[in-house]
Amino acid sequence: METRKWYQKMPHVCILLLFIIIICAVLTYIIPAGEFDREQIEGTSRAVVVAGSYHPVEQAPVSFMTTFKSLTKGFQATANIIAMILFSSGAFKVMIEAGMVENLLGSLLGKVSKRSNSGPLVIWIVTFVFSVIGIFIGPEVHVPFTVVTVAIALAMGYDLIVGMAMVLGGSIGFATAPINASTIGTSDAICGLPLFSGMALRTCFWFFATCVTCLIITHYAETVRKNPEKSYAKGIDTTGLSFKKDLSECHMQGRDWGVLACLIGIFAFTIIGCTQWGWYIDEMTTVFILGGIAAGIVAGFSGNKIVECFIEGAKDVVFGAMCVGIANGISVVLSEGHILDSIIYYLSAPLAGLPTVLGGILMTVVHGIINFFIPSGSGQAAATMPIMFPIGDLIGLTKQTSILCFQIGDGVTNIAIPTLGSLMAVCAVARVPFEKWLKFAVRLVAGVYLVGWVFIAIAVAINWGPF
């Protein structure tokens, strides 16, 4: 009888999330309750903690009913994100049904595949494209494109893990972006640095982090291509995920160009809106809805056909959308039990007094742990940076370097934690159980963390900032 490894014994992700919620509820009986005072700072959308203001409060253990009520509260708190995942997937389903996606990618891959070493080239191009997109928009928007990257991976002789990894290049781009509004923007506002200052070093960090990501994906992909038995996704049914026709039969038709224009319009308005007009989730969702409807009209679909596509697309990601709400229940339990601030306080306290570089490296680890409980970039910045800035001062880190430590710890672990709903949605679309993805994801996290630690050492050596 074959002995299964630990990652093959993990329960269904919904059971895992519920188990975490229950553990957090138990912790509300054990961890002393406490809170930081908070104040509103100009330039931030959240109230931020006041450094040194942590104080005990009355214990508020979460009851049995409240524990399970956190599931519905989690859905309420993330309703706009869930809506965006459902509607964006529906809009993309319209374009897939129109045949544009398959014809476009099939024709491009048909040309590229004629070159030697075409597989690694495709991996680098696709991963970098999503990493660039990730600089401007969050990982939730990338979920519906999982079907595209998975189809590309399968067409090139790779597996589902490679398809997931390429689209999650967007998460790496978001995590290491030089102009991330959620992490860098909020942190700059908290400490009073010029918005997005230090862009040159951060851009280098993003570039090298994305390169390392591509190298890790390529190494795994080529291993799988040569020996499919080494695939972490071995045995998973891929029916319906591959291209429906041979690459040689894929050609762009007249209406395909119009549908492609709708897709480009979605990206253009989303990027411009987020960077110039202050758009966020609701506005992005609206763009996907309008873009999907426009694509259906251009494709010659009837109203009923467009609605059916939206419904079918939503069905494909409904499990992932559910995971978003369930995962948020963890934050609900910790907040209602008044132990979220206590966890932050006890994790950050040991950093004071450490050597500068070591303190910076351990700061990334602490942020990575906190990210499990607060997977929101701006939320974690508001909760932790007023504490981390004084600690950074004590161990000799400049404000810019403290922000870099936060950026690494907050964002990189997003590709490996089950509490991030968008990751669970990508797993659902790709049909890859979380435990199988996790086995590969630890490689990416370790690789990008190592790149980040090198840049922390550089930042300390040049006494980077403040500006």
Side-chain angles (χ1 to χ4, degrees):
M1 181 176 176
E2 183 181 359
T3 303
R4 295 191 302 169
K5 298 182 179 180
W6 67 269
Y7 57 82
Q8 295 174 315
K9 301 177 183 179
M10 291 182 68
H12 190 282
V13 67
C14 286
I15 298 176
L16 177 64
L17 290 173
L18 184 58
F19 183 64
I20 294 172
I21 290 174
I22 293 173
I23 290 177
C24 290
V26 172
L27 290 178
T28 63
Y29 289 82
I30 301 172
I31 297 177
E35 291 180 347
F36 289 101
D37 294 332
R38 282 170 166 77
E39 63 182 7
Q40 192 69 42
I41 293 181
E42 185 178 355
T44 65
S45 59
R46 297 172 181 263
V48 302
V49 304
V50 177
S53 66
Y54 178 81
H55 56 277
V57 297
E58 183 179 354
Q59 205 71 22
V62 174
S63 67
F64 178 83
M65 281 295 294
T66 303
T67 299
F68 286 88
K69 192 165 66 174
S70 69
L71 299 177
T72 61
K73 289 188 174 182
F75 271 76
Q76 293 169 20
T78 56
N80 56 347
I81 297 176
I82 293 173
M84 186 180 71
I85 291 174
L86 296 175
F87 280 113
S88 63
S89 183
F92 205 70
K93 187 70 172 182
V94 173
M95 300 177 192
I96 292 175
E97 286 295 311
M100 181 278 292
V101 175
E102 186 168 29
N103 286 332
L104 174 64
L105 295 176
S107 58
L108 291 176
L109 289 176
K111 296 176 182 178
V112 173
S113 62
K114 297 177 182 178
R115 302 181 54 177
S116 59
N117 295 322
S118 58
L121 177 62
V122 169
I123 290 173
W124 277 72
I125 292 174
V126 174
T127 304
F128 253 98
V129 166
F130 278 100
S131 184
V132 170
I133 294 171
I135 293 175
F136 303 99
I137 53 180
E140 295 87 0
V141 181
H142 303 152
V143 174
F145 295 95
T146 306
V147 294
V148 176
T149 56
V150 164
I152 291 173
L154 295 177
M156 301 303 294
Y158 301 135
D159 68 356
L160 299 174
I161 297 289
V162 176
M164 277 189 64
M166 287 191 292
V167 76
L168 287 173
S171 293
I172 297 297
F174 183 80
T176 61
I179 55 173
N180 189 315
S182 297
T183 54
I184 300 172
T186 302
S187 299
D188 283 343
I190 290 172
C191 70
L193 285 175
L195 185 63
F196 302 140
S197 55
M199 190 182 300
L201 186 66
R202 296 186 200 283
T203 301
C204 292
F205 172 46
W206 163 80
F207 177 77
F208 282 102
T210 305
C211 286
V212 167
T213 298
C214 292
L215 287 171
I216 293 172
I217 298 172
T218 301
H219 178 268
Y220 170 81
E222 288 299 296
T223 301
V224 169
R225 185 180 62 81
K226 294 174 183 177
N227 186 0
E229 289 299 311
K230 293 186 177 182
S231 169
Y232 298 157
K234 182 180 64 176
I236 298 177
D237 182 20
T238 60
T239 304
L241 294 178
S242 305
F243 287 122
K244 297 178 182 178
K245 51 188 177 183
D246 190 82
L247 297 182
S248 61
E249 301 175 359
C250 297
H251 304 285
M252 289 290 284
Q253 307 296 325
R255 286 184 172 178
D256 290 336
W257 295 105
V259 176
L260 177 60
C262 293
L263 177 60
I264 294 174
I266 289 174
F267 271 116
F269 276 103
T270 298
I271 292 174
I272 294 172
C274 290
T275 57
Q276 302 295 324
W277 304 332
W279 283 8
Y280 194 49
I281 300 293
D282 291 342
E283 290 82 3
M284 288 191 289
T285 304
T286 303
V287 170
F288 272 105
I289 294 172
L290 295 176
I293 294 173
I297 293 173
V298 172
F301 291 168
S302 66
N304 286 346
K305 176 66 174 178
I306 294 174
V307 172
E308 289 171 2
C309 287
F310 267 91
I311 293 173
E312 287 299 316
K315 285 181 180 179
D316 293 337
V317 296
V318 68
F319 165 65
M322 285 183 63
C323 288
V324 173
I326 295 173
N328 194 257
I330 296 170
S331 296
V332 172
V333 169
L334 294 175
S335 297
E336 296 201 356
H338 300 299
I339 64 170
L340 187 56
D341 285 358
S342 297
I343 292 173
I344 295 170
Y345 174 76
Y346 290 119
L347 283 175
S348 60
L351 295 174
L354 292 174
T356 306
V357 175
L358 177 60
I361 290 174
L362 290 181
M363 192 177 287
T364 67
V365 176
V366 169
H367 278 300
I369 295 172
I370 294 174
N371 193 48
F372 184 90
F373 302 100
I374 314 176
S376 163
S378 59
Q380 187 179 159
T384 63
M385 292 314 293
I387 305 166
M388 293 301 190
F389 281 133
I391 292 176
D393 291 339
L394 288 175
I395 63 178
L397 294 176
T398 64
K399 295 290 192 296
Q400 289 287 7
T401 308
S402 291
I403 294 174
L404 178 62
C405 295
F406 163 61
Q407 185 181 13
I408 296 167
D410 165 72
V412 177
T413 53
N414 281 341
I415 63 173
I417 55 173
T419 51
L420 186 71
S422 60
L423 173 61
M424 295 296 97
V426 170
C427 285
V429 175
R431 303 179 189 171
V432 176
F434 173 74
E435 66 272 13
K436 293 183 180 293
W437 163 252
L438 181 62
K439 186 182 179 183
F440 174 77
V442 292
R443 298 185 185 186
L444 292 181
V445 173
V448 180
Y449 253 87
L450 287 175
V451 174
W453 291 345
V454 170
F455 274 87
I456 289 174
I458 293 172
V460 171
I462 65 175
N463 196 33
W464 183 40
F467 296 92

